[in-house]
Coordinates of all heavy atoms in Angstrom, one line a residue:
M1 N 201.5 44.8 317.9 CA 200.5 44.9 317.0 C 201.0 45.8 315.8 O 201.7 46.8 316.1 CB 199.3 45.6 317.6 CG 198.1 45.7 316.8 SD 196.5 46.2 317.6 CE 197.0 46.5 319.3
D2 N 200.6 45.4 314.6 CA 201.1 46.2 313.5 C 199.9 46.6 312.6 O 198.8 46.3 312.9 CB 202.1 45.4 312.7 CG 201.6 44.1 312.1 OD1 200.5 44.1 311.6 OD2 202.3 43.1 312.2
A3 N 200.2 47.4 311.6 CA 199.2 48.0 310.7 C 198.5 46.9 310.0 O 197.4 47.1 309.5 CB 199.8 49.0 309.8
D4 N 199.0 45.7 309.9 CA 198.4 44.6 309.1 C 197.4 43.8 310.0 O 196.7 42.9 309.5 CB 199.4 43.6 308.6 CG 200.3 44.3 307.6 OD1 199.8 45.2 306.9 OD2 201.5 43.9 307.5
T5 N 197.3 44.2 311.3 CA 196.3 43.5 312.1 C 194.9 43.8 311.7 O 194.5 44.9 311.6 CB 196.5 43.9 313.6 OG1 197.8 43.6 314.0 CG2 195.5 43.2 314.5
P6 N 194.1 42.7 311.4 CA 192.7 43.0 311.0 C 192.0 43.7 312.1 O 192.2 43.4 313.3 CB 192.2 41.6 310.7 CG 193.4 40.7 310.5 CD 194.5 41.3 311.3
T7 N 191.1 44.6 311.7 CA 190.3 45.3 312.7 C 189.6 44.5 313.7 O 189.6 44.8 314.9 CB 189.3 46.2 312.0 OG1 190.0 47.0 311.0 CG2 188.5 47.1 312.9
D8 N 189.1 43.3 313.3 CA 188.3 42.5 314.2 C 189.2 41.7 315.2 O 188.7 41.0 316.0 CB 187.4 41.5 313.5 CG 188.1 40.6 312.5 OD1 189.3 40.8 312.2 OD2 187.5 39.6 312.1
E9 N 190.5 41.9 315.0 CA 191.5 41.2 315.9 C 192.2 42.2 316.8 O 193.1 41.8 317.6 CB 192.5 40.4 315.1 CG 191.9 39.2 314.3 CD 192.9 38.5 313.5 OE1 194.1 38.6 313.7 OE2 192.4 37.7 312.6
V10 N 191.9 43.5 316.7 CA 192.7 44.5 317.4 C 192.6 44.3 318.9 O 193.6 44.3 319.6 CB 192.3 45.9 317.0 CG1 192.8 46.9 317.9 CG2 192.7 46.2 315.6
L11 N 191.4 44.1 319.4 CA 191.2 43.9 320.9 C 192.0 42.7 321.4 O 192.6 42.8 322.5 CB 189.8 43.8 321.3 CG 189.0 45.1 321.2 CD1 187.5 44.9 321.6 CD2 189.6 46.2 322.1
D12 N 191.9 41.6 320.7 CA 192.7 40.4 321.1 C 194.2 40.7 321.1 O 194.9 40.2 322.0 CB 192.3 39.2 320.2 CG 190.9 38.8 320.3 OD1 190.5 38.3 321.4 OD2 190.1 39.1 319.4
E13 N 194.6 41.3 320.1 CA 196.1 41.7 320.0 C 196.5 42.6 321.1 O 197.5 42.4 321.7 CB 196.4 42.3 318.6 CG 196.4 41.3 317.5 CD 197.6 40.4 317.5 OE1 198.7 40.8 317.9 OE2 197.4 39.2 317.0
L14 N 195.6 43.6 321.4 CA 195.9 44.5 322.4 C 196.0 43.8 323.8 O 196.9 44.0 324.6 CB 194.9 45.7 322.5 CG 195.0 46.7 323.6 CD1 196.3 47.4 323.6 CD2 193.9 47.7 323.5
F15 N 195.0 43.0 324.0 CA 195.0 42.2 325.3 C 196.2 41.3 325.4 O 196.7 41.2 326.5 CB 193.6 41.5 325.5 CG 193.4 41.0 326.9 CD1 193.0 42.0 327.9 CD2 193.6 39.7 327.3 CE1 192.8 41.6 329.2 CE2 193.4 39.3 328.6 CZ 193.0 40.3 329.5
A16 N 196.6 40.7 324.3 CA 197.7 39.8 324.4 C 199.0 40.6 324.7 O 199.9 40.2 325.5 CB 197.9 39.1 323.0
T17 N 199.1 41.8 324.2 CA 200.2 42.7 324.5 C 200.2 43.1 325.9 O 201.2 43.1 326.6 CB 200.2 44.0 323.6 OG1 200.3 43.6 322.2 CG2 201.3 44.9 323.9
I18 N 199.0 43.4 326.5 CA 198.9 43.8 327.9 C 199.3 42.6 328.8 O 200.1 42.8 329.7 CB 197.4 44.2 328.2 CG1 197.2 45.6 327.6 CG2 197.2 44.3 329.7 CD1 195.7 46.0 327.6
E19 N 198.9 41.4 328.4 CA 199.3 40.2 329.2 C 200.8 40.0 329.1 O 201.4 39.6 330.1 CB 198.5 39.0 328.7 CG 197.0 39.0 329.1 CD 196.8 38.6 330.5 OE1 197.7 38.5 331.3 OE2 195.6 38.5 330.9
S20 N 201.3 40.2 328.0 CA 202.8 40.1 327.8 C 203.5 41.1 328.7 O 204.5 40.8 329.3 CB 203.2 40.3 326.3 OG 204.5 40.3 326.1
R21 N 203.1 42.3 328.7 CA 203.7 43.4 329.5 C 203.6 43.0 331.0 O 204.5 43.2 331.8 CB 203.1 44.7 329.3 CG 203.2 45.3 327.9 CD 204.6 45.7 327.5 NE 204.7 46.4 326.3 CZ 204.8 45.9 325.1 NH1 204.8 44.6 324.9 NH2 204.9 46.7 324.1
K22 N 202.4 42.4 331.4 CA 202.2 42.0 332.8 C 203.2 40.9 333.2 O 203.8 41.0 334.3 CB 200.8 41.5 332.9 CG 200.4 41.0 334.3 CD 199.0 40.4 334.3 CE 198.7 39.7 335.6 NZ 197.4 39.1 335.6
A23 N 203.5 40.0 332.3 CA 204.4 38.9 332.5 C 205.9 39.4 332.5 O 206.7 39.0 333.3 CB 204.2 37.8 331.5
E24 N 206.2 40.2 331.5 CA 207.6 40.5 331.3 C 208.1 41.9 331.9 O 209.3 42.0 332.2 CB 207.9 40.6 329.8 CG 207.6 39.3 329.1 CD 207.6 39.4 327.6 OE1 208.0 40.4 327.0 OE2 207.1 38.4 327.0
L25 N 207.1 42.8 332.2 CA 207.4 44.1 332.8 C 208.6 44.8 332.2 O 209.5 45.2 332.9 CB 207.6 43.9 334.3 CG 206.4 43.3 335.1 CD1 206.8 43.1 336.6 CD2 205.2 44.2 335.0
P26 N 208.6 45.1 330.9 CA 209.7 45.8 330.3 C 209.7 47.2 330.8 O 208.7 47.9 331.0 CB 209.3 45.8 328.8 CG 207.9 45.5 328.7 CD 207.5 44.7 329.9
D27 N 211.0 47.7 331.0 CA 211.2 49.0 331.6 C 210.6 50.2 330.8 O 210.2 51.2 331.4 CB 212.6 49.3 331.8 CG 213.2 48.4 332.9 OD1 212.5 48.0 333.8 OD2 214.5 48.2 332.9
D28 N 210.6 50.1 329.5 CA 210.2 51.2 328.6 C 208.7 51.2 328.3 O 208.3 51.8 327.3 CB 211.0 51.2 327.4 CG 210.8 49.9 326.6 OD1 210.3 48.9 327.1 OD2 211.2 49.9 325.4
S29 N 207.9 50.5 329.1 CA 206.4 50.3 328.7 C 205.5 51.1 329.7 O 205.6 50.9 330.9 CB 206.1 48.8 328.8 OG 204.7 48.7 328.7
Y30 N 204.6 51.9 329.1 CA 203.6 52.6 330.0 C 202.8 51.5 330.7 O 202.4 51.7 331.9 CB 202.7 53.5 329.1 CG 201.5 54.0 329.8 CD1 201.7 55.0 330.8 CD2 200.3 53.6 329.6 CE1 200.6 55.5 331.5 CE2 199.2 54.1 330.3 CZ 199.4 55.0 331.2 OH 198.3 55.5 331.9
T31 N 202.4 50.4 330.0 CA 201.6 49.4 330.6 C 202.3 48.8 331.9 O 201.7 48.6 332.9 CB 201.4 48.3 329.6 OG1 200.7 48.8 328.4 CG2 200.5 47.2 330.2
T32 N 203.6 48.7 331.8 CA 204.4 48.2 333.0 C 204.2 49.1 334.2 O 204.0 48.7 335.3 CB 205.9 48.1 332.6 OG1 206.1 47.1 331.7 CG2 206.7 47.8 333.9
T33 N 204.2 50.5 333.9 CA 203.9 51.4 335.0 C 202.6 51.2 335.7 O 202.5 51.4 336.9 CB 204.1 52.9 334.6 OG1 203.1 53.2 333.7 CG2 205.5 53.1 334.0
L34 N 201.6 50.8 334.9 CA 200.3 50.6 335.5 C 200.3 49.3 336.4 O 199.6 49.3 337.4 CB 199.2 50.4 334.4 CG 198.9 51.6 333.5 CD1 198.1 51.3 332.3 CD2 198.3 52.7 334.4
F35 N 201.1 48.3 336.0 CA 201.2 47.1 336.8 C 202.1 47.3 338.0 O 202.0 46.5 339.0 CB 201.7 46.0 336.0 CG 200.6 45.4 335.1 CD1 200.7 45.6 333.7 CD2 199.5 44.7 335.6 CE1 199.7 45.0 332.9 CE2 198.6 44.2 334.8 CZ 198.7 44.4 333.4
T36 N 203.1 48.2 338.0 CA 204.1 48.3 339.0 C 204.1 49.6 339.8 O 204.9 49.7 340.7 CB 205.5 48.1 338.4 OG1 205.7 49.2 337.5 CG2 205.6 46.8 337.7
H37 N 203.1 50.4 339.6 CA 203.1 51.7 340.3 C 203.0 51.5 341.8 O 202.4 50.6 342.3 CB 201.9 52.6 339.8 CG 202.0 54.0 340.2 ND1 201.6 54.5 341.4 CD2 202.5 55.1 339.5 CE1 201.8 55.8 341.4 NE2 202.4 56.2 340.3
E38 N 203.6 52.4 342.6 CA 203.6 52.3 344.0 C 202.2 52.4 344.6 O 202.0 51.8 345.7 CB 204.5 53.4 344.6 CG 204.0 54.8 344.4 CD 204.9 55.9 344.8 OE1 206.1 55.7 345.0 OE2 204.4 57.1 345.0
K39 N 201.3 52.9 343.9 CA 199.9 52.9 344.4 C 199.2 51.6 344.2 O 198.1 51.4 344.6 CB 199.1 54.0 343.7 CG 199.4 55.4 344.2 CD 198.5 56.4 343.5 CE 198.7 57.8 343.9 NZ 197.8 58.7 343.2
G40 N 199.9 50.7 343.5 CA 199.3 49.4 343.2 C 198.1 49.5 342.2 O 198.1 50.4 341.3
E41 N 197.2 48.7 342.3 CA 196.0 48.7 341.4 C 195.3 50.0 341.4 O 194.7 50.4 340.4 CB 195.1 47.5 341.8 CG 193.9 47.4 340.8 CD 193.0 46.2 341.2 OE1 192.8 45.9 342.4 OE2 192.4 45.7 340.2
N42 N 195.3 50.7 342.5 CA 194.6 52.0 342.6 C 195.1 52.9 341.5 O 194.3 53.7 341.0 CB 194.8 52.6 344.0 CG 194.0 52.0 345.1 OD1 193.0 51.3 344.8 ND2 194.3 52.3 346.3
Y43 N 196.3 52.9 341.1 CA 196.8 53.8 340.1 C 196.1 53.5 338.8 O 195.6 54.4 338.1 CB 198.3 53.6 339.9 CG 198.9 54.6 338.9 CD1 198.9 55.9 339.1 CD2 199.4 54.1 337.7 CE1 199.4 56.8 338.1 CE2 199.9 55.0 336.7 CZ 199.9 56.3 337.0 OH 200.4 57.2 336.0
A44 N 196.0 52.2 338.4 CA 195.3 51.9 337.2 C 193.8 52.2 337.3 O 193.2 52.6 336.3 CB 195.5 50.4 336.9
L45 N 193.2 52.0 338.5 CA 191.8 52.4 338.6 C 191.6 53.9 338.5 O 190.6 54.3 338.0 CB 191.3 51.9 340.0 CG 191.3 50.4 340.2 CD1 191.0 50.0 341.6 CD2 190.3 49.7 339.2
E46 N 192.5 54.7 339.0 CA 192.4 56.1 338.9 C 192.5 56.5 337.4 O 191.8 57.4 337.0 CB 193.6 56.8 339.6 CG 193.4 56.8 341.1 CD 194.7 57.3 341.9 OE1 195.6 57.8 341.2 OE2 194.8 57.1 343.1
K47 N 193.4 55.9 336.7 CA 193.5 56.2 335.2 C 192.2 55.8 334.5 O 191.8 56.5 333.6 CB 194.7 55.4 334.6 CG 196.1 55.8 335.2 CD 196.4 57.3 335.0 CE 196.6 57.7 333.6 NZ 196.9 59.1 333.4
L48 N 191.7 54.7 334.9 CA 190.4 54.2 334.3 C 189.3 55.3 334.6 O 188.6 55.7 333.6 CB 190.0 52.9 334.8 CG 188.7 52.3 334.3 CD1 188.8 52.0 332.8 CD2 188.4 50.9 335.0
G49 N 189.3 55.8 335.8 CA 188.3 56.8 336.1 C 188.5 58.1 335.3 O 187.5 58.7 334.9
E50 N 189.7 58.5 335.1 CA 190.0 59.7 334.3 C 189.5 59.5 332.9 O 188.9 60.4 332.3 CB 191.5 59.9 334.3 CG 192.1 60.4 335.6 CD 193.6 60.5 335.5 OE1 194.2 60.6 334.4 OE2 194.3 60.5 336.6
E51 N 189.7 58.3 332.4 CA 189.3 58.0 331.0 C 187.8 58.0 330.9 O 187.2 58.5 329.9 CB 189.9 56.7 330.5 CG 191.4 56.8 330.4 CD 192.1 57.9 329.7 OE1 191.4 58.5 328.8 OE2 193.2 58.3 329.9
V52 N 187.1 57.5 331.9 CA 185.6 57.5 331.9 C 185.2 59.0 331.8 O 184.3 59.3 331.0 CB 185.1 56.8 333.1 CG1 183.6 57.1 333.3 CG2 185.3 55.4 333.1
T53 N 185.7 59.8 332.6 CA 185.3 61.2 332.7 C 185.6 61.9 331.3 O 184.8 62.6 330.8 CB 186.1 62.0 333.8 OG1 185.7 61.4 335.0 CG2 185.7 63.5 333.8
E54 N 186.8 61.7 330.8 CA 187.1 62.3 329.5 C 186.2 61.8 328.4 O 185.9 62.6 327.5 CB 188.6 62.0 329.2 CG 189.5 62.8 330.1 CD 191.0 62.4 330.0 OE1 191.3 61.4 329.3 OE2 191.8 63.0 330.7
T55 N 185.8 60.5 328.4 CA 184.9 60.0 327.4 C 183.6 60.6 327.5 O 182.9 61.0 326.5 CB 184.8 58.4 327.6 OG1 186.1 57.9 327.4 CG2 183.9 57.8 326.5
I56 N 183.1 60.8 328.7 CA 181.8 61.4 329.0 C 181.8 62.8 328.4 O 180.8 63.3 327.8 CB 181.4 61.4 330.5 CG1 181.1 59.9 330.9 CG2 180.2 62.3 330.8 CD1 181.0 59.8 332.4
L57 N 182.8 63.6 328.8 CA 182.9 65.0 328.3 C 183.0 65.1 326.8 O 182.3 66.0 326.2 CB 184.1 65.7 328.9 CG 184.1 65.9 330.5 CD1 185.4 66.4 331.0 CD2 182.9 66.8 330.8
A58 N 183.7 64.2 326.1 CA 183.7 64.2 324.7 C 182.4 63.9 324.1 O 182.0 64.6 323.1 CB 184.8 63.2 324.2
A59 N 181.6 63.0 324.7 CA 180.3 62.7 324.2 C 179.4 63.9 324.4 O 178.6 64.2 323.5 CB 179.7 61.4 324.9
K60 N 179.5 64.5 325.6 CA 178.6 65.6 325.9 C 178.9 66.8 325.0 O 178.0 67.5 324.6 CB 178.9 66.0 327.4 CG 178.1 67.2 327.9 CD 178.4 67.5 329.3 CE 177.6 68.6 329.9 NZ 177.7 69.9 329.2
D61 N 180.1 66.9 324.5 CA 180.5 68.0 323.6 C 180.2 67.7 322.2 O 180.6 68.5 321.3 CB 182.0 68.4 323.8 CG 182.3 69.0 325.1 OD1 181.3 69.5 325.8 OD2 183.5 69.0 325.5
D62 N 179.6 66.5 321.9 CA 179.4 66.0 320.5 C 180.6 66.1 319.7 O 180.6 66.4 318.5 CB 178.3 66.9 319.9 CG 176.9 66.7 320.5 OD1 176.6 65.5 320.9 OD2 176.1 67.6 320.7
D63 N 181.7 65.7 320.3 CA 183.0 65.7 319.5 C 183.4 64.3 319.2 O 184.0 63.5 320.0 CB 184.1 66.3 320.4 CG 185.4 66.5 319.7 OD1 185.7 65.8 318.7 OD2 186.2 67.4 320.1
R64 N 182.9 63.8 318.0 CA 183.1 62.4 317.6 C 184.5 62.0 317.6 O 184.9 60.9 318.1 CB 182.5 62.2 316.2 CG 182.5 60.8 315.8 CD 181.8 60.6 314.4 NE 181.7 59.2 314.1 CZ 182.6 58.5 313.5 NH1 183.8 59.0 313.2 NH2 182.4 57.2 313.2
E65 N 185.4 62.8 317.1 CA 186.8 62.4 317.0 C 187.4 62.2 318.4 O 188.1 61.3 318.7 CB 187.6 63.5 316.2 CG 189.1 63.1 316.0 CD 189.8 64.2 315.2 OE1 189.2 64.7 314.2 OE2 190.9 64.4 315.5
E66 N 187.1 63.2 319.3 CA 187.6 63.1 320.7 C 186.9 61.9 321.4 O 187.6 61.2 322.2 CB 187.3 64.4 321.4 CG 188.0 64.5 322.8 CD 189.5 64.6 322.8 OE1 190.1 64.8 321.7 OE2 190.1 64.4 323.9
L67 N 185.7 61.7 321.1 CA 184.9 60.5 321.7 C 185.6 59.2 321.4 O 185.8 58.4 322.2 CB 183.5 60.5 321.3 CG 182.7 59.3 321.7 CD1 182.6 59.2 323.3 CD2 181.3 59.4 321.1
L68 N 186.0 59.1 320.1 CA 186.7 57.8 319.7 C 188.0 57.7 320.3 O 188.4 56.6 320.8 CB 186.7 57.8 318.2 CG 185.4 57.6 317.5 CD1 185.6 57.7 316.0 CD2 184.8 56.2 317.8
Y69 N 188.8 58.8 320.4 CA 190.1 58.8 321.0 C 190.0 58.4 322.5 O 190.8 57.6 322.9 CB 190.7 60.2 320.8 CG 192.1 60.3 321.4 CD1 193.2 60.0 320.6 CD2 192.3 60.8 322.7 CE1 194.5 60.1 321.1 CE2 193.6 60.9 323.2 CZ 194.7 60.5 322.4 OH 196.0 60.6 322.9
E70 N 189.1 59.1 323.2 CA 189.0 58.8 324.6 C 188.4 57.4 324.9 O 188.8 56.8 325.9 CB 188.2 59.9 325.3 CG 188.8 61.3 325.3 CD 190.2 61.4 326.0 OE1 190.5 60.5 326.8 OE2 190.9 62.3 325.7
S71 N 187.5 57.0 324.0 CA 187.0 55.6 324.2 C 188.1 54.6 324.0 O 188.1 53.6 324.7 CB 185.9 55.4 323.1 OG 184.8 56.2 323.4
A72 N 189.0 54.8 323.1 CA 190.1 53.9 322.9 C 191.0 53.9 324.2 O 191.4 52.8 324.7 CB 191.0 54.3 321.7
D73 N 191.2 55.0 324.8 CA 192.0 55.1 326.1 C 191.2 54.4 327.2 O 191.8 53.6 328.0 CB 192.2 56.5 326.5 CG 193.3 57.2 325.7 OD1 194.1 56.6 325.0 OD2 193.4 58.5 325.9
L74 N 189.9 54.5 327.2 CA 189.1 53.9 328.2 C 189.1 52.4 328.1 O 189.3 51.7 329.1 CB 187.6 54.4 328.0 CG 186.6 53.7 328.9 CD1 186.9 53.9 330.4 CD2 185.2 54.3 328.6
V75 N 189.0 51.9 326.9 CA 189.0 50.4 326.6 C 190.4 49.9 327.0 O 190.5 48.8 327.7 CB 188.7 50.1 325.2 CG1 189.0 48.6 324.8 CG2 187.2 50.4 324.9
Y76 N 191.5 50.6 326.6 CA 192.8 50.1 327.0 C 192.9 50.0 328.5 O 193.4 48.9 329.0 CB 193.9 51.1 326.4 CG 195.2 50.9 327.1 CD1 196.0 49.9 326.8 CD2 195.6 51.8 328.1 CE1 197.2 49.7 327.4 CE2 196.8 51.7 328.7 CZ 197.6 50.6 328.4 OH 198.8 50.5 329.1
H77 N 192.6 51.0 329.2 CA 192.7 51.0 330.7 C 191.8 49.9 331.3 O 192.2 49.3 332.3 CB 192.5 52.4 331.3 CG 193.7 53.3 331.0 ND1 193.8 54.1 329.9 CD2 194.8 53.5 331.8 CE1 194.9 54.7 330.0 NE2 195.6 54.4 331.1
L78 N 190.6 49.8 330.8 CA 189.7 48.7 331.2 C 190.4 47.3 331.0 O 190.4 46.5 332.0 CB 188.4 48.7 330.5 CG 187.4 47.6 330.8 CD1 187.1 47.6 332.3 CD2 186.2 47.7 330.0
L79 N 191.0 47.1 329.9 CA 191.7 45.8 329.6 C 192.8 45.6 330.6 O 193.1 44.5 331.1 CB 192.1 45.7 328.2 CG 191.1 45.7 327.1 CD1 191.7 45.7 325.7 CD2 190.1 44.6 327.3
V80 N 193.5 46.7 331.0 CA 194.6 46.5 331.9 C 194.0 46.1 333.3 O 194.6 45.2 333.9 CB 195.4 47.9 332.1 CG1 196.4 47.8 333.3 CG2 196.2 48.1 330.8
V81 N 192.9 46.7 333.7 CA 192.3 46.4 335.0 C 191.8 44.9 335.0 O 191.9 44.2 335.9 CB 191.2 47.4 335.4 CG1 190.4 46.9 336.5 CG2 191.8 48.8 335.6
L82 N 191.2 44.5 333.8 CA 190.8 43.1 333.7 C 192.0 42.2 333.9 O 191.9 41.2 334.6 CB 190.1 42.9 332.4 CG 188.7 43.5 332.2 CD1 188.2 43.3 330.7 CD2 187.8 42.9 333.2
A83 N 193.1 42.5 333.2 CA 194.3 41.7 333.3 C 194.8 41.6 334.7 O 195.3 40.6 335.2 CB 195.4 42.2 332.4
M84 N 194.8 42.8 335.4 CA 195.2 42.8 336.8 C 194.4 41.9 337.7 O 194.9 41.4 338.7 CB 195.1 44.2 337.4 CG 196.1 45.2 336.9 SD 195.9 46.8 337.7 CE 197.5 47.5 337.4
N85 N 193.2 41.7 337.3 CA 192.3 40.8 338.1 C 192.1 39.4 337.5 O 191.1 38.7 337.8 CB 190.9 41.5 338.2 CG 191.0 42.7 339.2 OD1 190.9 42.6 340.4 ND2 191.2 43.9 338.6
D86 N 193.1 39.1 336.7 CA 193.1 37.7 336.1 C 191.8 37.4 335.3 O 191.3 36.3 335.3 CB 193.4 36.7 337.1 CG 194.8 36.8 337.7 OD1 195.7 37.2 336.9 OD2 195.0 36.7 338.9
A87 N 191.2 38.4 334.7 CA 190.0 38.2 333.8 C 190.5 38.4 332.4 O 191.5 39.1 332.1 CB 188.9 39.2 334.2
S88 N 189.9 37.7 331.5 CA 190.3 37.8 330.1 C 189.2 38.4 329.2 O 188.1 38.6 329.6 CB 190.6 36.4 329.6 OG 189.4 35.6 329.5
L89 N 189.5 38.6 328.0 CA 188.5 39.1 327.0 C 187.5 38.0 326.8 O 186.3 38.3 326.7 CB 189.2 39.3 325.6 CG 189.7 40.7 325.4 CD1 190.3 40.8 324.0 CD2 188.6 41.8 325.6
D90 N 187.9 36.7 326.9 CA 186.9 35.7 326.8 C 185.9 35.7 328.0 O 184.7 35.5 327.8 CB 187.5 34.3 326.7 CG 188.1 34.1 325.3 OD1 187.7 34.7 324.3 OD2 189.0 33.2 325.2
D91 N 186.4 36.0 329.2 CA 185.5 36.2 330.3 C 184.5 37.3 330.1 O 183.4 37.2 330.4 CB 186.3 36.5 331.6 CG 187.2 35.3 332.0 OD1 186.9 34.2 331.7 OD2 188.3 35.6 332.6
L92 N 185.0 38.4 329.5 CA 184.2 39.5 329.3 C 183.1 39.2 328.2 O 181.9 39.5 328.3 CB 185.0 40.8 328.8 CG 184.2 42.0 328.5 CD1 183.4 42.5 329.7 CD2 185.2 43.1 328.1
R93 N 183.6 38.5 327.1 CA 182.7 38.1 326.1 C 181.6 37.2 326.6 O 180.4 37.3 326.3 CB 183.4 37.4 325.0 CG 184.2 38.2 324.1 CD 184.9 37.4 323.0 NE 185.7 38.2 322.2 CZ 187.0 38.2 322.2 NH1 187.7 37.4 323.0 NH2 187.7 39.0 321.4
E94 N 182.0 36.3 327.5 CA 181.0 35.3 328.1 C 180.0 36.1 329.0 O 178.8 35.8 328.9 CB 181.7 34.3 329.0 CG 180.8 33.2 329.5 CD 180.3 32.3 328.4 OE1 180.9 32.1 327.3 OE2 179.1 31.8 328.6
E95 N 180.5 37.1 329.7 CA 179.5 37.9 330.5 C 178.5 38.6 329.6 O 177.3 38.7 329.9 CB 180.3 38.9 331.4 CG 179.5 39.8 332.2 CD 178.6 39.1 333.3 OE1 179.0 38.0 333.7 OE2 177.5 39.6 333.6
L96 N 179.0 39.2 328.6 CA 178.2 39.9 327.7 C 177.2 39.0 327.0 O 176.0 39.3 326.9 CB 179.0 40.7 326.6 CG 179.8 41.9 327.1 CD1 180.8 42.4 326.1 CD2 178.8 43.0 327.5
K97 N 177.7 37.8 326.6 CA 176.8 36.8 326.0 C 175.7 36.4 326.9 O 174.5 36.2 326.5 CB 177.7 35.6 325.6 CG 176.9 34.5 324.9 CD 177.8 33.3 324.6 CE 177.0 32.1 324.4 NZ 177.9 30.9 324.3
N98 N 176.0 36.2 328.2 CA 175.0 35.8 329.1 C 173.9 36.8 329.4 O 172.9 36.5 330.0 CB 175.7 35.4 330.5 CG 176.5 34.2 330.4 OD1 176.2 33.3 329.5 ND2 177.5 34.0 331.2
R99 N 174.1 38.1 328.9 CA 173.1 39.1 329.2 C 172.1 39.2 328.1 O 171.1 39.9 328.2 CB 173.8 40.4 329.3 CG 174.7 40.5 330.5 CD 175.4 41.8 330.6 NE 176.2 41.8 331.9 CZ 176.4 42.9 332.6 NH1 175.9 44.1 332.2 NH2 177.1 42.8 333.7
F100 N 172.2 38.4 327.0 CA 171.3 38.4 325.9 C 170.4 37.2 326.0 O 170.6 36.2 326.5 CB 172.0 38.4 324.5 CG 172.7 39.7 324.3 CD1 174.0 39.9 324.5 CD2 171.9 40.8 323.7 CE1 174.6 41.1 324.3 CE2 172.5 42.0 323.5 CZ 173.8 42.2 323.7

């Protein structure tokens, strides 16, 4: 993803990068460590849980900048967990759409 990526395409680009890391497992990628950690999926789930807590605390503290920062971490880790479970952004969009 580069600075020229339109804002409305960022999640799609991020998810495509996550899927690419899942397939290629480059050694120098944090995402790769989430897919290959010795704890398996539990490691990514622990990271997701940490980000949930950090997001809640930022919201509780009324720290908008920190809330946005932690929310981005939360979304990233959620997308990794979705990818681990062979779910896509389109699957998530469809689920959200069905709730309206």
Side-chain angles (χ1 to χ4, degrees):
M1 187 171 357
D2 60 43
D4 295 330
T5 300
T7 304
D8 62 346
E9 295 177 17
V10 169
L11 287 178
D12 293 290
E13 288 286 326
L14 176 58
F15 196 75
T17 300
I18 290 168
E19 288 285 3
S20 172
R21 299 291 193 272
K22 178 183 173 185
E24 298 168 14
L25 300 175
D27 290 335
D28 61 343
S29 167
Y30 172 70
T31 304
T32 295
T33 65
L34 294 172
F35 284 111
T36 62
H37 196 275
E38 63 189 19
K39 289 184 178 181
E41 185 181 29
N42 283 344
Y43 183 68
L45 295 173
E46 288 171 12
K47 298 302 289 180
L48 181 62
E50 288 174 22
E51 298 307 337
V52 167
T53 300
E54 291 169 357
T55 301
I56 291 168
L57 292 174
K60 184 179 179 303
D61 292 342
D62 292 323
D63 186 338
R64 184 177 186 277
E65 185 176 320
E66 188 69 11
L67 175 61
L68 291 172
Y69 182 87
E70 295 301 342
S71 293
D73 282 351
L74 174 60
V75 169
Y76 162 76
H77 285 88
L78 175 61
L79 294 179
V80 169
V81 170
L82 288 174
M84 283 182 164
N85 288 278
D86 298 319
S88 69
L89 270 180
D90 286 339
D91 295 330
L92 181 58
R93 286 184 183 104
E94 188 65 31
E95 178 63 27
L96 290 168
K97 178 181 163 188
N98 289 337
R99 293 178 180 213
F100 288 97

